[in-house]
């Protein structure tokens, strides 16, 4: 067994031992006449631990190179420096994994773009260590919230037959060698494929979560989602994680309350669990970060219907490149105006025109709009898409036809409306976009360990 003390327990004072053994990677090392210093990290906390080597005891310190992994045994002493309260006075040094001058992270500071080219090394930096620690805590906050709220965690398939959102952004899955595909009458013969039919990577777990909600009451998934999204922005990626709760006996108002409660819970959870990392991001990345947490925890989110939002946008039409018009989507410039400028806090936009939303959303009495919401955040834009689901068989059939959905493909989905149908609702929240907001990171590629996006895969 490897006996070791974590840097975190030393720096926080949790460790009461006098003598410890620490393992870590050297961030910086420098040598003077009488002493040499190395600051090391083991990922447990963002602050590095300073180790002091008395040159009388150590004549060969050539292994103290940036990037090397070392094992140090020594005494915990009060640090005379102002940066940290405790440091290690070393008695023994072992270089576990040496590193040479060609280690790419030599300098103290590197641009975020440069680090993006080194996904296998960037987690060793303060910034990415903090991102991935917060990613962990946010994941746990999700499970904690839904468990405490009486939800069951379910696993939906990642390989599906449907493009739930109807946006044509699904990646196809096949075991057929692409150069040997049989084409008959102009169509690919999928009976020769692995599943004997066309298959895709899931774009949303919603359709499979609905049957579980109509059996267990309240369920949620938290899983990978894949989209061949044509948008290549700092908010889009081809592989991301979505949180998708689905609840029987919930209408749109219940859905919206749940979204707000969940996000407030997550903010409070991270605020309590990650004060060090939040302070780090606040100092180096987003001066308003602590204010974001305060705002999320304390103020109510705003709410406006799509139709009212379009009126509001029209009143400010000279501000926009494209004039707002009923029937078109809320574009990024409108999102910015609503969330960043007008409301200055998260805003639920509800009841969009049916014509720009998927077939499964519940038709409102006006026959034109559907019971849905997009939650827009300042700085990040859309974080959540949710809706009440159409539970009336005939209405759903008519909508599916309008959207040119093949009823055969979805027969099981219609069965749910045939036998024991019930009002139900759900939403999908993009994990990485929420993490961007909580860390202040401006590009989605910087909150994912190995990001995959259009034209880019390392
Ligand atoms: O609004 P969307 O497309 O909603 C659905 O898929 C519903 N079926 C969810 C449901 O009701 N169960 O996606 C939900 C969220 C978006 O608001 C956004 O946060 C995130 O998923 N998202 C993406 N995140 C990163 N990269 C992309 N390409 C994304 N596309 C959607
Ligand atoms: Mg959406």
């Amino acid at each position: 067994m490897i006996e070791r003390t974590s840097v975190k327990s030393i720096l926080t004072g949790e460790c009461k031992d006098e003598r410890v053994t620490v393992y870590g990677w050297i961030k910086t090392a420098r040598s003077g006449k009488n002493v040499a210093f190395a600051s090391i990290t083991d990922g447990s906390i963002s602050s590095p631990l300073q180790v002091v080597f008395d040159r009388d005891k150590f004549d060969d310190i050539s292994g103290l190179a940036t990037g090397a992994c070392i094992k140090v045994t020594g005494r915990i002493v009060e640090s005379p420096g102002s940066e940290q309260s405790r440091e290690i006075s070393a008695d023994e040094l072992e270089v576990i994994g040496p590193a040479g001058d060609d280690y790419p992270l030599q300098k103290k500071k590197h641009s975020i773009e440069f680090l993006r080219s080194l996904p296998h090394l960037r987690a060793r930096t303060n910034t990415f260590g903090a991102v991935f620690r917060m990613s962990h805590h946010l994941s746990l906050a999700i499970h904690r919230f839904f468990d405490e709220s009486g939800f069951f965690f379910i696993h939906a398939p990642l390989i599906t037959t449907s493009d739930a959102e109807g946006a044509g952004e699904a990646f196809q899955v096949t075991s057929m060698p692409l150069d040997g595909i049989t084409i008959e009458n102009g169509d690919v013969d999928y009976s020769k494929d692995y599943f004997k039919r066309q298959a895709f990577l899931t774009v949303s777990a919603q359709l499979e979560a609905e049957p579980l909600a109509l059996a267990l009451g309240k369920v949620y998934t938290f899983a990978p989602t894949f989209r061949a999204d044509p948008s290549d922005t700092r908010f889009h990626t081809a592989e991301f994680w979505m949180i998708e709760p689905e609840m029987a006996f919930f209408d749109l108002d219940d859905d919206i309350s749940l979204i707000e409660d969940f996000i407030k819970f997550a903010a409070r959870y991270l605020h309590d669990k990650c004060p060090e990392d939040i302070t780090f991001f606040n100092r180096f990345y987003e001066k308003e970060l602590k204010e974001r947490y305060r705002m999320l925890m304390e103020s109510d989110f705003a709410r406006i219907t799509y139709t009212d939002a379009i009126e509001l946008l029209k009143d400010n039409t000279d501000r926009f490149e494209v004039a707002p018009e009923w029937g078109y989507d809320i574009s990024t410039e409108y999102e910015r105006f609503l969330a960043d400028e007008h409301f200055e806090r998260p805003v639920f936009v509800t009841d969009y025109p049916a014509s720009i939303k998927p077939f499964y959303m519940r038709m409102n009495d006006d026959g034109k709009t559907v019971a849905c919401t997009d939650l827009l955040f300042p700085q990040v834009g859309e974080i959540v898409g949710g809706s009440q689901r159409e539970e009336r068989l005939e209405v759903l059939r008519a909508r599916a036809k309008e959207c040119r959905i093949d009823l055969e493909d979805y027969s099981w989905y219609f069965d749910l409306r045939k036998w024991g149908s019930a009002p139900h609702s759900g939403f999908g929240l993009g994990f990485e976009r929420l993490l961007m907001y909580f860390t202040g990171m401006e590009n989605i590629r910087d909150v994912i360990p190995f990001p995959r996006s259009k034209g880019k895969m390392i």
Side-chain angles (χ1 to χ4, degrees):
M1 217 172 110
I2 294 179
E3 292 285 341
R4 73 174 184 116
T5 303
S6 74
V7 169
K8 181 177 181 180
S9 69
I10 294 169
L11 290 182
T12 56
E14 194 187 304
C15 168
K16 304 289 178 218
D17 300 337
E18 276 173 27
R19 234 177 105 76
V20 290
T21 296
V22 194
Y23 286 73
W25 293 273
I26 299 180
K27 295 182 87 73
T28 54
R30 66 198 155 86
S31 167
K33 218 164 109 212
N34 304 322
V35 282
F37 298 95
S39 73
I40 64 170
T41 171
D42 65 359
S44 56
I45 190 167
S46 68
S47 313
L49 173 70
Q50 175 152 280
V51 186
V52 186
F53 300 88
D54 193 333
R55 294 301 308 269
D56 287 343
K57 280 192 232 162
F58 298 90
D59 29 290
D60 180 13
I61 49 157
S62 59
L64 293 183
T66 303
C69 180
I70 59 171
K71 172 187 177 187
V72 171
T73 302
R75 272 179 312 114
I76 300 180
V77 294
E78 295 302 313
S79 174
S82 59
E83 292 265 314
Q84 62 281 317
S85 59
R86 309 173 96 194
E87 59 185 33
I88 303 291
S89 169
D91 297 324
E92 292 164 34
L93 165 68
E94 191 181 329
V95 178
I96 305 277
D101 293 346
D102 54 349
Y103 179 67
L105 306 182
Q106 292 291 345
K107 280 192 300 173
K108 226 175 167 181
K109 256 192 168 316
H110 298 275
S111 76
I112 212 90
E113 291 77 18
F114 171 71
L115 292 172
R116 215 175 280 150
S117 71
L118 301 168
H120 58 307
L121 297 174
R122 66 177 180 170
R124 294 186 192 177
T125 63
N126 291 348
T127 298
F128 288 95
V131 167
F132 300 130
R133 274 189 299 276
M134 287 193 58
S135 173
H136 158 78
H137 288 293
L138 182 56
S139 302
L140 286 195
I142 290 160
H143 290 300
R144 182 71 66 85
F145 174 82
F146 286 108
D147 180 48
E148 286 177 5
S149 308
F151 282 70
F152 300 106
F153 177 42
I154 55 153
H155 298 179
L158 297 187
I159 302 176
T160 64
T161 52
S162 61
D163 171 6
E165 294 306 293
E169 292 171 358
F171 287 100
Q172 198 170 333
V173 178
T174 178
S175 64
M176 292 195 282
L178 290 182
D179 51 5
I181 287 178
T182 320
I183 300 181
E184 267 167 35
N185 306 326
D187 287 331
V188 175
D189 181 5
Y190 285 107
S191 68
K192 297 203 169 59
D193 204 351
Y194 189 85
F195 299 105
K196 298 197 187 312
R197 57 184 299 182
Q198 206 174 6
F200 304 94
L201 289 177
T202 186
V203 294
S204 162
Q206 177 197 323
L207 299 193
E208 289 89 357
E210 284 186 52
L212 276 294
L214 293 174
L216 297 169
K218 294 195 285 187
V219 300
Y220 73 105
T221 65
F222 174 33
T225 309
F226 309 88
R227 292 191 186 181
D229 218 309
S231 332
D232 183 20
T233 74
R234 59 195 178 91
F235 303 109
H236 288 91
T237 157
E239 179 179 309
F240 58 99
W241 283 58
M242 225 202 282
I243 299 126
E244 295 193 271
E246 194 67 35
M247 302 75 66
F249 319 118
F250 265 54
D251 64 13
L252 183 65
D253 290 338
D254 297 319
D255 205 20
I256 285 176
S257 304
L258 181 75
I259 297 169
E260 186 162 344
D261 288 349
F262 164 61
I263 291 174
K264 285 187 181 308
F265 177 94
R268 210 168 299 117
Y269 189 92
L270 291 185
H271 182 262
D272 295 348
K273 289 275 180 191
C274 316
E276 239 237 344
D277 289 331
I278 291 173
T279 300
F280 170 84
F281 286 118
N282 194 82
R283 188 164 158 209
F284 295 108
Y285 285 92
E286 173 54 64
K287 298 280 166 274
E288 298 290 313
L289 193 68
K290 289 194 176 173
E291 178 53 29
R292 281 187 187 179
Y293 280 86
R294 201 196 54 73
M295 180 273 291
L296 281 187
M297 292 186 293
E298 289 174 12
S299 47
D300 291 339
F301 297 0
R303 183 171 169 167
I304 188 170
T305 64
Y306 168 90
T307 302
D308 288 348
I310 293 292
E311 286 308 309
L312 180 65
L313 295 167
K314 277 185 169 167
D315 290 343
N316 294 275
T317 208
D318 48 330
R319 309 269 313 263
F320 306 119
E321 274 179 28
V322 179
E325 204 178 322
W326 202 93
Y328 290 87
D329 218 344
I330 303 280
S331 66
T332 308
E333 60 172 345
Y334 307 156
E335 285 182 359
R336 275 283 142 93
F337 175 80
L338 293 170
D340 294 63
E341 287 186 46
H342 186 79
F343 291 105
E344 294 183 80
R345 59 201 158 111
V347 51
F348 289 104
V349 180
T350 68
D351 305 286
Y352 283 65
S355 55
I356 55 169
K357 288 291 182 189
F359 79 102
Y360 54 71
M361 294 186 177
R362 192 178 197 279
M363 184 61 78
N364 285 327
D365 291 343
D366 61 13
K368 286 194 308 199
T369 60
V370 283
C372 70
T373 187
D374 276 4
L375 175 61
L376 310 181
F377 258 51
Q379 271 91 40
V380 184
E382 183 197 324
I383 288 220
V384 179
S387 64
Q388 186 167 341
R389 319 307 189 188
E390 184 56 75
E391 84 283 15
R392 298 161 296 186
L393 183 59
E394 286 318 312
V395 185
L396 184 67
R397 274 210 184 112
R399 277 287 291 144
K401 273 200 193 118
E402 258 172 43
C403 297
R404 294 167 202 259
I405 302 274
D406 187 344
L407 301 189
E408 279 293 299
D409 279 352
Y410 290 83
S411 61
W412 58 270
Y413 190 75
F414 290 91
D415 282 351
L416 297 170
R417 278 72 183 169
K418 210 157 85 188
W419 300 311
S421 189
H424 62 290
S425 299
F427 66 86
L429 184 147
F431 176 81
E432 292 79 6
R433 290 191 187 169
L434 187 59
L435 187 57
M436 286 171 76
Y437 192 75
F438 280 138
T439 55
M441 297 306 281
E442 289 188 347
N443 193 311
I444 199 161
R445 295 180 186 92
D446 297 329
V447 296
I448 302 175
F450 292 88
R452 273 84 177 86
S453 53
K454 202 173 180 207
K456 296 182 201 82
M457 158 123 82
I458 296 182

